[in-house]
mmCIF file with all atom_site columns, all heavy atoms in Angstrom:
data_model
loop_
_atom_site.group_PDB
_atom_site.id
_atom_site.type_symbol
_atom_site.label_atom_id
_atom_site.label_alt_id
_atom_site.label_comp_id
_atom_site.label_asym_id
_atom_site.label_entity_id
_atom_site.label_seq_id
_atom_site.pdbx_PDB_ins_code
_atom_site.Cartn_x
_atom_site.Cartn_y
_atom_site.Cartn_z
_atom_site.occupancy
_atom_site.B_iso_or_equiv
_atom_site.pdbx_formal_charge
_atom_site.auth_seq_id
_atom_site.auth_comp_id
_atom_site.auth_asym_id
_atom_site.auth_atom_id
_atom_site.pdbx_PDB_model_num
ATOM 1  N N   . HIS A 1 3  ? -61.163 54.287 5.200  1.00 0.00 ? 3  HIS A N   1
ATOM 2  C CA  . HIS A 1 3  ? -61.076 52.883 4.877  1.00 0.00 ? 3  HIS A CA  1
ATOM 3  C C   . HIS A 1 3  ? -60.680 52.060 6.086  1.00 0.00 ? 3  HIS A C   1
ATOM 4  O O   . HIS A 1 3  ? -60.194 50.913 5.994  1.00 0.00 ? 3  HIS A O   1
ATOM 5  C CB  . HIS A 1 3  ? -60.076 52.580 3.710  1.00 0.00 ? 3  HIS A CB  1
ATOM 6  C CG  . HIS A 1 3  ? -60.489 53.261 2.482  1.00 0.00 ? 3  HIS A CG  1
ATOM 7  N ND1 . HIS A 1 3  ? -61.409 52.834 1.594  1.00 0.00 ? 3  HIS A ND1 1
ATOM 8  C CD2 . HIS A 1 3  ? -59.925 54.396 1.973  1.00 0.00 ? 3  HIS A CD2 1
ATOM 9  C CE1 . HIS A 1 3  ? -61.573 53.639 0.685  1.00 0.00 ? 3  HIS A CE1 1
ATOM 10 N NE2 . HIS A 1 3  ? -60.619 54.649 0.763  1.00 0.00 ? 3  HIS A NE2 1
ATOM 11 N N   . HIS A 1 6  ? -62.053 48.581 6.444  1.00 0.00 ? 6  HIS A N   1
ATOM 12 C CA  . HIS A 1 6  ? -61.855 47.677 5.227  1.00 0.00 ? 6  HIS A CA  1
ATOM 13 C C   . HIS A 1 6  ? -60.412 47.304 5.054  1.00 0.00 ? 6  HIS A C   1
ATOM 14 O O   . HIS A 1 6  ? -60.059 47.377 3.940  1.00 0.00 ? 6  HIS A O   1
ATOM 15 C CB  . HIS A 1 6  ? -62.512 48.412 4.006  1.00 0.00 ? 6  HIS A CB  1
ATOM 16 C CG  . HIS A 1 6  ? -63.950 48.831 4.072  1.00 0.00 ? 6  HIS A CG  1
ATOM 17 N ND1 . HIS A 1 6  ? -64.957 47.914 3.874  1.00 0.00 ? 6  HIS A ND1 1
ATOM 18 C CD2 . HIS A 1 6  ? -64.465 49.968 4.463  1.00 0.00 ? 6  HIS A CD2 1
ATOM 19 C CE1 . HIS A 1 6  ? -66.104 48.586 4.076  1.00 0.00 ? 6  HIS A CE1 1
ATOM 20 N NE2 . HIS A 1 6  ? -65.854 49.798 4.404  1.00 0.00 ? 6  HIS A NE2 1
ATOM 21 N N   . GLN A 1 7  ? -59.774 47.059 6.135  1.00 0.00 ? 7  GLN A N   1
ATOM 22 C CA  . GLN A 1 7  ? -58.302 46.620 5.919  1.00 0.00 ? 7  GLN A CA  1
ATOM 23 C C   . GLN A 1 7  ? -58.380 45.276 5.241  1.00 0.00 ? 7  GLN A C   1
ATOM 24 O O   . GLN A 1 7  ? -59.095 44.381 5.532  1.00 0.00 ? 7  GLN A O   1
ATOM 25 C CB  . GLN A 1 7  ? -57.639 46.538 7.213  1.00 0.00 ? 7  GLN A CB  1
ATOM 26 C CG  . GLN A 1 7  ? -57.508 47.839 7.995  1.00 0.00 ? 7  GLN A CG  1
ATOM 27 C CD  . GLN A 1 7  ? -56.676 47.743 9.263  1.00 0.00 ? 7  GLN A CD  1
ATOM 28 O OE1 . GLN A 1 7  ? -56.338 46.590 9.662  1.00 0.00 ? 7  GLN A OE1 1
ATOM 29 N NE2 . GLN A 1 7  ? -56.592 48.825 9.932  1.00 0.00 ? 7  GLN A NE2 1
ATOM 30 N N   . GLY A 1 8  ? -57.401 44.996 4.351  1.00 0.00 ? 8  GLY A N   1
ATOM 31 C CA  . GLY A 1 8  ? -57.204 43.792 3.590  1.00 0.00 ? 8  GLY A CA  1
ATOM 32 C C   . GLY A 1 8  ? -58.178 43.683 2.505  1.00 0.00 ? 8  GLY A C   1
ATOM 33 O O   . GLY A 1 8  ? -58.209 42.648 1.816  1.00 0.00 ? 8  GLY A O   1
ATOM 34 N N   . GLN A 1 9  ? -58.908 44.810 2.083  1.00 0.00 ? 9  GLN A N   1
ATOM 35 C CA  . GLN A 1 9  ? -59.721 44.709 0.911  1.00 0.00 ? 9  GLN A CA  1
ATOM 36 C C   . GLN A 1 9  ? -59.265 45.879 -0.081 1.00 0.00 ? 9  GLN A C   1
ATOM 37 O O   . GLN A 1 9  ? -58.840 46.880 0.435  1.00 0.00 ? 9  GLN A O   1
ATOM 38 C CB  . GLN A 1 9  ? -61.118 44.921 1.268  1.00 0.00 ? 9  GLN A CB  1
ATOM 39 C CG  . GLN A 1 9  ? -61.731 43.712 2.034  1.00 0.00 ? 9  GLN A CG  1
ATOM 40 C CD  . GLN A 1 9  ? -63.202 43.893 2.291  1.00 0.00 ? 9  GLN A CD  1
ATOM 41 O OE1 . GLN A 1 9  ? -63.789 45.040 1.971  1.00 0.00 ? 9  GLN A OE1 1
ATOM 42 N NE2 . GLN A 1 9  ? -63.904 42.936 2.737  1.00 0.00 ? 9  GLN A NE2 1
ATOM 43 N N   . ASP A 1 10 ? -59.322 45.594 -1.330 1.00 0.00 ? 10 ASP A N   1
ATOM 44 C CA  . ASP A 1 10 ? -59.030 46.723 -2.281 1.00 0.00 ? 10 ASP A CA  1
ATOM 45 C C   . ASP A 1 10 ? -60.346 47.419 -2.500 1.00 0.00 ? 10 ASP A C   1
ATOM 46 O O   . ASP A 1 10 ? -61.379 47.148 -1.966 1.00 0.00 ? 10 ASP A O   1
ATOM 47 C CB  . ASP A 1 10 ? -58.443 46.044 -3.614 1.00 0.00 ? 10 ASP A CB  1
ATOM 48 C CG  . ASP A 1 10 ? -59.500 45.220 -4.301 1.00 0.00 ? 10 ASP A CG  1
ATOM 49 O OD1 . ASP A 1 10 ? -60.664 45.160 -3.826 1.00 0.00 ? 10 ASP A OD1 1
ATOM 50 O OD2 . ASP A 1 10 ? -59.103 44.573 -5.310 1.00 0.00 ? 10 ASP A OD2 1
ATOM 51 N N   . MET A 1 11 ? -60.214 48.380 -3.413 1.00 0.00 ? 11 MET A N   1
ATOM 52 C CA  . MET A 1 11 ? -61.348 49.274 -3.596 1.00 0.00 ? 11 MET A CA  1
ATOM 53 C C   . MET A 1 11 ? -62.549 48.622 -4.201 1.00 0.00 ? 11 MET A C   1
ATOM 54 O O   . MET A 1 11 ? -63.655 49.056 -4.181 1.00 0.00 ? 11 MET A O   1
ATOM 55 C CB  . MET A 1 11 ? -60.935 50.487 -4.391 1.00 0.00 ? 11 MET A CB  1
ATOM 56 C CG  . MET A 1 11 ? -59.870 51.340 -3.665 1.00 0.00 ? 11 MET A CG  1
ATOM 57 S SD  . MET A 1 11 ? -59.312 52.715 -4.733 1.00 0.00 ? 11 MET A SD  1
ATOM 58 C CE  . MET A 1 11 ? -60.993 53.613 -4.768 1.00 0.00 ? 11 MET A CE  1
ATOM 59 N N   . SER A 1 12 ? -62.256 47.422 -4.836 1.00 0.00 ? 12 SER A N   1
ATOM 60 C CA  . SER A 1 12 ? -63.417 46.702 -5.587 1.00 0.00 ? 12 SER A CA  1
ATOM 61 C C   . SER A 1 12 ? -64.107 45.780 -4.553 1.00 0.00 ? 12 SER A C   1
ATOM 62 O O   . SER A 1 12 ? -65.018 45.103 -4.973 1.00 0.00 ? 12 SER A O   1
ATOM 63 C CB  . SER A 1 12 ? -62.847 46.029 -6.778 1.00 0.00 ? 12 SER A CB  1
ATOM 64 O OG  . SER A 1 12 ? -61.985 44.983 -6.318 1.00 0.00 ? 12 SER A OG  1
ATOM 65 N N   . GLY A 1 13 ? -63.619 45.751 -3.267 1.00 0.00 ? 13 GLY A N   1
ATOM 66 C CA  . GLY A 1 13 ? -64.241 44.932 -2.338 1.00 0.00 ? 13 GLY A CA  1
ATOM 67 C C   . GLY A 1 13 ? -63.630 43.549 -2.256 1.00 0.00 ? 13 GLY A C   1
ATOM 68 O O   . GLY A 1 13 ? -64.095 42.641 -1.550 1.00 0.00 ? 13 GLY A O   1
ATOM 69 N N   . MET A 1 14 ? -62.578 43.233 -3.031 1.00 0.00 ? 14 MET A N   1
ATOM 70 C CA  . MET A 1 14 ? -61.968 41.877 -3.006 1.00 0.00 ? 14 MET A CA  1
ATOM 71 C C   . MET A 1 14 ? -60.854 41.810 -1.988 1.00 0.00 ? 14 MET A C   1
ATOM 72 O O   . MET A 1 14 ? -60.166 42.858 -1.599 1.00 0.00 ? 14 MET A O   1
ATOM 73 C CB  . MET A 1 14 ? -61.246 41.557 -4.364 1.00 0.00 ? 14 MET A CB  1
ATOM 74 C CG  . MET A 1 14 ? -62.286 41.508 -5.525 1.00 0.00 ? 14 MET A CG  1
ATOM 75 S SD  . MET A 1 14 ? -61.423 41.252 -7.127 1.00 0.00 ? 14 MET A SD  1
ATOM 76 C CE  . MET A 1 14 ? -60.824 39.669 -6.812 1.00 0.00 ? 14 MET A CE  1
ATOM 77 N N   . ALA A 1 15 ? -60.754 40.670 -1.318 1.00 0.00 ? 15 ALA A N   1
ATOM 78 C CA  . ALA A 1 15 ? -59.728 40.482 -0.228 1.00 0.00 ? 15 ALA A CA  1
ATOM 79 C C   . ALA A 1 15 ? -58.338 40.482 -0.726 1.00 0.00 ? 15 ALA A C   1
ATOM 80 O O   . ALA A 1 15 ? -58.115 39.867 -1.794 1.00 0.00 ? 15 ALA A O   1
ATOM 81 C CB  . ALA A 1 15 ? -60.084 39.213 0.553  1.00 0.00 ? 15 ALA A CB  1
ATOM 82 N N   . MET A 1 16 ? -57.505 41.222 -0.106 1.00 0.00 ? 16 MET A N   1
ATOM 83 C CA  . MET A 1 16 ? -56.095 41.232 -0.470 1.00 0.00 ? 16 MET A CA  1
ATOM 84 C C   . MET A 1 16 ? -55.211 40.579 0.595  1.00 0.00 ? 16 MET A C   1
ATOM 85 O O   . MET A 1 16 ? -55.366 40.856 1.793  1.00 0.00 ? 16 MET A O   1
ATOM 86 C CB  . MET A 1 16 ? -55.627 42.736 -0.663 1.00 0.00 ? 16 MET A CB  1
ATOM 87 C CG  . MET A 1 16 ? -56.357 43.454 -1.839 1.00 0.00 ? 16 MET A CG  1
ATOM 88 S SD  . MET A 1 16 ? -55.767 42.830 -3.377 1.00 0.00 ? 16 MET A SD  1
ATOM 89 C CE  . MET A 1 16 ? -54.156 43.443 -3.386 1.00 0.00 ? 16 MET A CE  1
ATOM 90 N N   . PRO A 1 17 ? -54.272 39.746 0.171  1.00 0.00 ? 17 PRO A N   1
ATOM 91 C CA  . PRO A 1 17 ? -53.398 39.073 1.271  1.00 0.00 ? 17 PRO A CA  1
ATOM 92 C C   . PRO A 1 17 ? -52.429 40.167 1.816  1.00 0.00 ? 17 PRO A C   1
ATOM 93 O O   . PRO A 1 17 ? -51.965 41.086 1.181  1.00 0.00 ? 17 PRO A O   1
ATOM 94 C CB  . PRO A 1 17 ? -52.541 38.007 0.469  1.00 0.00 ? 17 PRO A CB  1
ATOM 95 C CG  . PRO A 1 17 ? -52.636 38.592 -1.015 1.00 0.00 ? 17 PRO A CG  1
ATOM 96 C CD  . PRO A 1 17 ? -53.905 39.261 -1.143 1.00 0.00 ? 17 PRO A CD  1
#
Side-chain angles (χ1 to χ4, degrees):
H3 298 286
H6 301 278
Q7 292 181 2
Q9 293 184 351
D10 62 6
M11 294 180 64
S12 61
M14 298 178 64
M16 295 288 292

